[in-house]
């Protein structure tokens, strides 16, 4: 599918776009059972895009009952893996065939630049679905080493009904990281998108059925976390709950699981990732380019954002100057302009949160080096400049707490041991970057970091073959890779006496 080249082309598509705000249950779009809706507001200009169904306990009960019925019927759960693979590949193709529409929905809904919505989010979502489909018939069971008169089989089975609660920053991509392995292994899924960005999840539900996934296998319930999200987390007939979002909500979901049926809970939560640059970094300019992108991409609304830049004293001033120069090319612009690389933050609430952290940094004595201001307010949208603070110490609020915005804290260190100590001095453990020309130092630092992912001499690497997830309060379990299937399957041991 060709990509429109000009903003006017995207504007024309947006003007003719039909937006569906209904829930999707058992193969049909429907209003919330109580008839409730909420406004879906575009952060680009503040206009209401659609009235979206606000689901609650009643909708959760209906969706779970339907999901359970279709799971027990075996129409999908007992289909041969090779056939599920074929359907999943077709699902991925349909995402690609509808990429312009899906990218447009993503950009209008949460404000990210259209160039990245299509090239990163939608393309990545299709890759995730296709990869899981391709992998599922390569997932072998096992035989235990036994005596000659016994056979021990270790087999995988789908867990049953999965509730997936996904975030607003990469709405479709994060959904497909979970839908891929969950659907490919034969589960029924209830997808609960964020109320801040529900539109692509609603749209793909019918594409899944069009691809050949039976009705009732994938259901989509838009609504608020404290209503339908809570209902799913407490539901006695949900077998597994998967979540990407804040650590605060992740902890609450664990409580709900314990209060209900001890459903499995898999969490990808917050981060405050250190990006460590040693004096002997092989290419300081490359480190600066990567550091700028690590904090400005997606308006800083990224769980792996390199928000703590740990810089050895010998290169600190030079690196800060290079990053400030790089960030001049990351200034916010209209998200439907293909030239824009930084768009709107998701909503006014998030803008206020980001600005409050910028003020806190100034109040605590950090030095504001670059940015720090709201911009483009005259558009009716919500935009903020990429921001750099220097003279930050690791106990400051801006260095401790996840901001989820383009705010970079620069922390000085001397020597590898101090860098590791500062990097690990956090409740989070999602990701980290290390820049050094010394291969021994790189390995020693990577081994010492309490992070689920470490990138050497670049930032935010990996593909579908590598697991994604963190240590400590960044969560448990892993998205992507063959490890992701562990979350959606039960292991059964069958011992046979011959």
């Amino acid at each position: 599918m060709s990509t429109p080249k000009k903003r006017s082309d995207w504007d024309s598509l947006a003007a003719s776009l039909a937006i569906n705000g209904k829930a999707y249950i058992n193969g049909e779009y429907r209003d919330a059972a109580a008839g409730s809706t909420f406004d879906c507001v575009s952060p680009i200009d503040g206009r209401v895009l659609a009235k979206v169904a606000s689901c609650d306990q009643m909708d959760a009960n209906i969706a779970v009952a339907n999901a359970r019925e279709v799971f027990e019927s075996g129409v999908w759960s007992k289909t041969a893996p090779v056939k599920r693979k074929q359907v999943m590949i077709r699902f991925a193709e349909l995402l690609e065939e509808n990429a312009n529409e899906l990218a447009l929905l993503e950009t209008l809904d949460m404000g990210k630049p259209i160039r990245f919505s299509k090239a990163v989010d939608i393309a990545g979502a299709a890759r995730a679905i296709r990869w899981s489909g391709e992998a599922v018939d390569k997932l072998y069971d096992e035989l235990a080493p036994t005596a000659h008169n016994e056979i021990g089989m270790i087999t995988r089975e789908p867990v049953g009904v999965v509730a997936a609660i996904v975030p607003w920053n990469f709405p479709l991509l994060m959904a497909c990281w979970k839908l891929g392995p969950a659907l490919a292994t034969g589960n029924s899924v209830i997808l609960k998108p964020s109320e801040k960005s529900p539109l692509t999840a609603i749209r793909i539900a019918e594409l899944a059925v069009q691809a050949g996934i039976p009705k009732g296998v994938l259901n989509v319930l838009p609504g608020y976390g404290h209503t339908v999200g809570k209902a799913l987390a407490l539901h006695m007939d949900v077998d597994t709950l998967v979540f990407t979002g804040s650590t605060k909500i992740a902890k609450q979901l664990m409580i709900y699981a314990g209060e209900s049926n001890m459903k499995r809970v898999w969490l990808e939560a917050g981060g405050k990732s250190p990006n460590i640059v040693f004096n002997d970094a092989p290419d300081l300019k490359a480190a600066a380019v990567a550091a700028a992108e690590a904090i400005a991409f997606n308006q800083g609304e990224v769980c792996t954002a390199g928000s703590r830049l740990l810089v050895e004293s010998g290169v600190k001033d030079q690196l800060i100057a290079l990053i400030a120069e790089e960030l001049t090319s990351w200034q916010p612009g209209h998200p439907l302009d293909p030239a824009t690389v930084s768009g709107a933050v998701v909503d006014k609430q998030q803008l206020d949160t980001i600005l409050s952290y910028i003020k806190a940094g100034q109040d605590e004595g950090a030095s504001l080096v670059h940015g720090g201001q709201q911009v483009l307010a005259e558009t009716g949208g919500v935009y903020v400049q990429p921001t750099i603070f220097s003279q930050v110490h690791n106990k400051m609020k801006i260095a401790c707490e996840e901001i989820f915005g383009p705010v970079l804290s620069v922390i000085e260190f001397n020597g590898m041991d101090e860098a590791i100590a500062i990097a690990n001095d956090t409740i989070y453990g999602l990701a980290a970057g290390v820049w050094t020309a010394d291969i021994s130092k790189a390995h020693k630092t990577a081994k010492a970091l309490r992070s689920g992912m470490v990138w050497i001499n670049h930032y935010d690497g990996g593909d579908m073959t590598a697991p994604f997830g963190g240590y400590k309060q960044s969560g448990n379990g892993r998205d992507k890779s063959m490890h992701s299937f562990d979350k959606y399957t039960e292991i059964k041991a069958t011992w046979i006496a011959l």
Side-chain angles (χ1 to χ4, degrees):
M1 174 178 289
S2 63
T3 301
K5 303 297 184 184
K6 298 180 295 183
R7 177 183 163 184
S8 58
D9 297 331
W10 285 110
D11 285 335
S12 296
L13 286 176
S16 61
L17 186 65
I19 297 178
N20 188 347
K22 293 188 176 184
Y24 194 82
I25 301 175
N26 204 30
E28 65 178 30
Y29 286 109
R30 60 176 74 179
D31 295 328
S36 302
T37 63
F38 61 88
D39 288 344
C40 181
V41 178
S42 176
I44 295 175
D45 52 18
R47 66 188 173 95
V48 176
L49 297 170
K51 296 282 187 181
V52 175
S54 185
C55 296
D56 60 17
Q57 178 76 60
M58 291 185 288
D59 303 283
N61 289 340
I62 295 168
V64 172
N66 278 297
R68 175 62 63 188
E69 181 179 0
V70 75
F71 178 78
E72 296 297 341
S73 76
V75 66
W76 182 248
S77 59
K78 295 179 182 178
T79 294
V82 68
K83 292 185 178 180
R84 290 200 300 265
K85 174 179 75 172
Q86 293 165 355
V87 173
M88 295 295 287
I89 291 171
R90 180 57 187 148
F91 187 18
E93 290 171 347
L94 287 171
L95 296 182
E96 291 166 338
E97 290 170 16
N98 292 274
N100 284 343
E101 178 192 358
L102 293 170
L104 190 55
L105 287 171
E106 210 79 300
T107 289
L108 293 173
D109 205 2
M110 68 79 56
K112 66 177 62 196
I114 192 68
R115 65 187 294 172
F116 295 138
S117 286
K118 185 167 185 188
V120 176
D121 291 56
I122 309 309
R127 279 195 301 272
I129 295 295
R130 178 179 284 107
W131 192 91
S132 293
E134 289 279 11
V136 73
D137 67 345
K138 287 84 176 173
L139 195 64
Y140 285 83
D141 293 326
E142 304 169 52
L143 285 178
T146 63
H148 75 281
N149 60 341
E150 296 176 318
I151 295 177
M153 300 189 303
I154 301 116
T155 55
R156 288 179 183 262
E157 299 177 357
V159 296
V161 176
V162 175
I165 301 176
V166 296
W168 47 259
N169 59 330
F170 293 93
L172 187 57
L173 182 58
M174 295 296 98
C176 288
W177 280 10
K178 301 182 190 310
L179 291 179
L183 292 172
T185 48
N187 296 285
S188 294
V189 181
I190 300 159
L191 176 62
K192 190 283 193 198
S194 170
E195 68 277 4
K196 297 185 180 187
S197 56
L199 299 182
T200 49
I202 293 170
R203 175 68 178 97
I204 68 163
E206 62 182 343
L207 296 181
V209 171
Q210 186 179 337
I213 295 175
K215 294 180 179 180
V217 171
L218 175 59
N219 306 274
V220 179
L221 299 184
Y224 293 99
H226 65 272
T227 54
V228 69
K230 181 178 179 179
L232 290 169
L234 285 168
H235 204 289
M236 296 297 291
D237 206 23
V238 169
D239 299 297
T240 291
L241 175 65
V242 291
F243 170 77
T244 296
S246 72
T247 293
K248 177 182 177 181
I249 300 302
K251 291 179 178 181
Q252 187 61 58
L253 294 175
M254 295 179 78
I255 293 171
Y256 290 152
E259 290 176 343
S260 53
N261 61 341
M262 288 181 62
K263 59 179 63 66
R264 284 89 170 120
V265 182
W266 301 102
L267 308 164
E268 197 273 281
K272 196 69 182 176
S273 298
N275 188 14
I276 305 168
V277 182
F278 288 100
N279 286 338
D280 65 348
D283 186 338
L284 209 59
K285 174 67 172 178
V289 170
E293 183 172 356
I295 196 61
F297 176 70
N298 210 50
Q299 303 72 245
E301 299 162 324
V302 185
C303 57
T304 56
S307 54
R308 288 188 299 151
L309 182 68
L310 279 55
V311 187
E312 200 160 14
S313 57
V315 295
K316 185 192 73 170
D317 292 342
Q318 183 183 358
L319 184 61
I320 290 174
L322 287 170
I323 295 170
E325 181 182 351
E326 285 298 321
L327 286 178
T328 60
S329 64
W330 285 90
Q331 296 307 301
H334 196 287
L336 290 182
D337 185 342
T340 294
V341 295
S342 182
V345 298
V346 72
D347 62 10
K348 179 65 162 54
Q349 179 184 25
Q350 187 62 21
L351 173 67
D352 290 344
T353 296
I354 294 166
L355 294 175
S356 74
Y357 275 106
I358 292 172
K359 183 178 185 302
Q362 294 172 305
D363 291 346
E364 289 188 307
S367 176
L368 181 62
V369 174
H370 181 89
Q373 299 296 318
Q374 180 182 359
V375 294
L376 302 176
E378 69 279 3
T379 66
V382 281
Y383 303 83
V384 65
Q385 294 173 324
T387 301
I388 304 174
F389 280 104
S390 66
Q391 307 302 317
V392 177
H393 63 75
N394 209 45
K395 298 302 181 184
M396 287 182 176
K397 187 175 182 179
I398 57 172
C400 292
E401 299 180 12
E402 185 177 42
I403 299 172
F404 233 59
V407 181
L408 180 64
S409 295
V410 181
I411 303 171
E412 184 176 354
F413 71 87
N414 288 286
M416 182 175 68
D417 289 344
E418 186 180 12
I420 292 167
I422 294 170
N424 286 337
D425 184 20
T426 173
I427 65 170
Y428 301 111
L430 188 54
V434 178
W435 296 78
T436 176
D438 184 333
I439 190 65
S440 177
K441 185 192 297 182
H443 276 290
K444 288 177 179 178
T445 304
K447 285 178 177 291
L449 291 170
R450 299 290 295 165
S451 298
M453 298 167 286
V454 180
W455 302 302
I456 308 297
N457 292 330
H458 68 144
Y459 200 86
D460 199 23
D463 57 21
M464 283 301 300
T465 64
F468 185 103
Y471 291 11
K472 300 189 281 187
Q473 293 185 46
S474 288
N476 57 18
R478 294 296 182 267
D479 286 324
K480 304 197 303 180
S481 83
M482 299 299 281
H483 295 280
S484 67
F485 291 101
D486 295 340
K487 299 190 295 188
Y488 305 101
T489 53
E490 295 281 18
I491 301 296
K492 177 177 284 185
T494 304
W495 208 260
I496 304 169
L498 299 178

